[in-house]
Amino acid sequence: MRIYVYFLLFLMQISFAQYISLEEKVALIDFYNSTKGKEWKEKWDLSKPVATWKGVSVLEGNVIAIVLPNNNLSGNLPESFGKISKLKVLNLQGNSITGVLPQSFIQLNLLEHCNLSFNQLHGSLPSNLGDLKQLRNFELHHNRFSGNLPDSIEFCVRLENLTLFNNDFSGKLPLGIYQLVHLKHLRLQSNQFEGMLDGKIGNLIHLKTLNLFDNHLVGFVPKEIASLTQLQELNISYNHFTGFVSPQIAAKDGFGVKMLDSNGVAVQLKVSSDQVLVGADE
């Protein structure tokens, strides 16, 4: 009898775990409608439990993941999206989502993995992006984002992958980015970033990828890049760096440290093994 009761309680727990709050369900339906769910490749049957909906994962009565890549989503992300407050994984890459990130996006403060790449999103990132303190993977490449990278990014202390290439971000790199000591992949190529690259780049000792190709960065190339022993992919070319670089940096750069001069002509930086010259202007 006792075994039967335990088994019945277990079944009740499983059943209960499949249901979410009305607030979260309404937010999901808003999301479905605002991204033209009836035109998705794989649609949701709104008459069935949320846990059966394609790409939605439910744990202990909360939606923890929405994974719908390449599913023909279009339209905007609704403001109610922030009501899905326990979300940890969001993958909407390869769709046609437009508009800006809703202000409520920052309420997803348990978010660990976010991939919105290959959409048509625009506008700037929220200034309080650093509130997403659990964020480890942040991929926004191939969109139309613009504006500065927020200073508050320094509080995203768990970040391992920051991938923002092929957008229209501008301004100087915030100093806080050099405090993200867990970063493994920093991909900022094909934007409009300007200013100098700080020698504090040497703090990012776990970097495997550093790609700053095709921006407007100036000054000398920090010699500290050569100290990044785990670096496997480096591309700092097609900026406006000047001065000398070490043979180690030149050998790693995918385009041979070619820069654009004031006339827009590609010229190769001078290479020197003299440590006095490396990391300094001519």
Side-chain angles (χ1 to χ4, degrees), residues 5-230:
V5 171
Y6 287 155
F7 182 66
L8 183 60
L9 289 173
F10 175 69
L11 290 179
M12 290 174 65
Q13 288 175 345
I14 293 177
S15 177
F16 178 76
Q18 303 305 306
Y19 293 92
I20 66 173
S21 70
L22 179 60
E23 186 176 54
E24 280 194 81
K25 185 171 183 179
V26 169
L28 285 175
I29 293 174
D30 282 351
F31 166 67
Y32 182 79
N33 290 329
S34 66
T35 56
K36 302 179 182 178
K38 292 181 179 179
E39 298 176 11
W40 291 4
K41 292 179 181 178
E42 296 191 61
K43 305 171 181 61
W44 289 347
D45 186 341
L46 303 184
S47 67
K48 293 183 177 180
V50 170
T52 68
W53 296 358
K54 170 70 178 178
V56 177
S57 297
V58 177
L59 178 66
E60 298 179 350
N62 295 294
V63 175
I64 60 167
I66 300 175
V67 180
L68 293 168
N70 306 303
N71 201 42
N72 201 40
L73 280 68
S74 59
N76 301 333
L77 296 177
E79 190 60 39
S80 59
F81 200 79
K83 300 293 185 182
I84 313 172
S85 59
K86 304 297 184 183
L87 197 66
K88 294 185 177 182
V89 177
L90 178 63
N91 185 345
L92 304 178
Q93 70 163 331
N95 287 289
S96 299
I97 300 172
T98 57
V100 300
L101 289 179
Q103 291 184 0
S104 65
F105 181 80
I106 211 66
Q107 296 174 21
L108 304 176
N109 55 19
L110 296 181
L111 198 61
E112 297 178 8
H113 301 277
C114 179
N115 189 341
L116 300 175
S117 60
F118 289 99
N119 279 284
Q120 299 170 29
L121 292 158
H122 65 268
S124 58
L125 297 182
S127 60
N128 53 344
L129 182 68
D131 288 353
L132 303 181
K133 291 181 172 60
Q134 304 302 316
L135 203 57
R136 289 194 290 159
N137 181 63
F138 198 37
E139 297 184 61
L140 302 181
H141 56 92
H142 288 93
N143 276 283
R144 300 170 183 170
F145 286 106
S146 58
N148 294 353
L149 194 55
D151 292 335
S152 65
I153 197 169
E154 69 176 294
F155 300 113
C156 298
V157 294
R158 296 173 180 260
L159 261 182
E160 297 179 7
N161 177 18
L162 181 60
T163 299
L164 307 179
F165 62 87
N166 281 86
N167 280 285
D168 200 28
F169 288 110
S170 59
K172 297 180 180 180
L173 296 180
L175 288 176
I177 204 168
Y178 305 112
Q179 305 303 317
L180 303 177
V181 295
H182 295 292
L183 266 183
K184 296 179 181 178
H185 305 285
L186 181 59
R187 300 182 178 102
L188 305 179
Q189 66 265 34
S190 297
N191 279 288
Q192 307 293 324
F193 288 114
E194 59 187 30
M196 300 179 68
L197 186 61
D198 198 284
K200 293 187 177 72
I201 192 73
N203 292 342
L204 308 183
I205 59 175
H206 298 294
L207 267 190
K208 296 181 179 181
T209 304
L210 176 60
N211 198 326
L212 304 173
F213 172 81
D214 187 26
N215 279 283
H216 302 296
L217 299 171
V218 299
F220 58 83
V221 177
K223 59 185 177 182
E224 288 82 359
I225 291 177
S227 69
L228 300 174
T229 58
Q230 297 193 38

